[in-house]
Amino acid sequence: MKGGPVIASAGLIQYSVLVPPSAVWTWWDPGTVCLPAGTELGVPPLTVTDYRPSVWYWAVPPRSAGELCSAGLTDQLARYGQWRMAKWR
């Protein structure tokens, strides 16, 4: 996501990409969820950057406070992933 922060689940099934709060107004991808502003999201400590069983970790840790991913690039990546998954079925 061009260096923006991404949290990964321990099972590598789910990724949480941190995007600007305004993304919720234009987000419509049915295969994903864009949480509205004010939603509490637990995040791992910044030091947890490697895969560990049953622990969420930073796949891409933030480089600075307030750094976010591009909502447009996040949407493109999600759609590409959905397209690839559909080809395997």
Side-chain angles (χ1 to χ4, degrees):
M1 306 319 300
K2 298 264 187 180
V6 178
I7 302 168
S9 70
L12 300 176
I13 296 170
Q14 180 177 345
Y15 291 90
S16 295
V17 180
L18 305 185
V19 297
S22 60
V24 74
W25 300 111
T26 57
W27 201 265
W28 62 273
D29 186 340
T32 63
V33 175
C34 187
L35 302 174
T39 301
E40 292 187 25
L41 177 67
V43 298
L46 291 173
T47 56
V48 181
T49 58
D50 295 319
Y51 172 80
R52 298 177 194 175
S54 71
V55 175
W56 286 72
Y57 68 97
W58 289 99
V60 181
R63 294 178 292 190
S64 62
E67 179 182 32
L68 300 171
C69 295
S70 160
L73 291 176
T74 300
D75 181 58
Q76 288 177 11
L77 180 61
R79 289 174 188 279
Y80 177 72
Q82 292 167 14
W83 175 78
R84 291 287 308 248
M85 291 297 292
K87 283 184 69 173
W88 290 341
R89 292 183 184 161

